[in-house]
Amino acid sequence: MSVATRRRAGRVLVVVLIGLLLGALLSELAVRFMPDSAARRFFTTSVAAAFGPLVIDLVAVGMTLGPLVLRLDFLSILGVLVVALAVRTWL
């Protein structure tokens, strides 16, 4: 794997993570401030995928991570698109 490919993959990962965080913020704002309506249900209905818990048990050290839950909704996808467009215009 070349350096340019790794750098591009790292940028994509950062854009997706920041976009998901922005989408989660938008979802929370929609839940708190939008009245109960069809639009609110559309924007805040999510699909969740859970991974874990991951248990790492070495003889001297033990660690448990998880469960890691990924929630995906319309506003999360919108957040990823907004961040991708912003990064595209700045770089």
Side-chain angles (χ1 to χ4, degrees):
M1 188 181 266
S2 70
V3 174
T5 304
R6 275 188 264 145
R7 188 174 298 149
R8 185 175 299 130
R11 287 181 183 164
V12 168
L13 182 65
V14 167
V15 166
V16 168
L17 289 176
I18 293 173
L20 287 175
L21 288 173
L22 177 64
L25 175 66
L26 292 174
S27 294
E28 284 298 316
L29 290 174
V31 166
R32 289 181 186 223
F33 295 115
M34 287 183 73
D36 193 21
S37 63
R40 178 180 174 186
R41 282 191 298 275
F42 173 74
F43 286 127
T44 60
T45 299
S46 64
V47 176
F51 305 101
L54 174 66
V55 178
I56 300 171
D57 188 15
L58 304 173
V59 175
V61 178
M63 181 170 54
T64 303
L65 300 174
L68 177 67
V69 178
L70 177 67
R71 283 184 30 214
L72 189 65
D73 59 6
F74 181 77
L75 290 174
S76 295
I77 295 170
L78 184 67
V80 171
L81 291 176
V82 166
V83 171
L85 288 174
V87 168
R88 184 175 179 208
T89 59
W90 286 334
L91 294 178

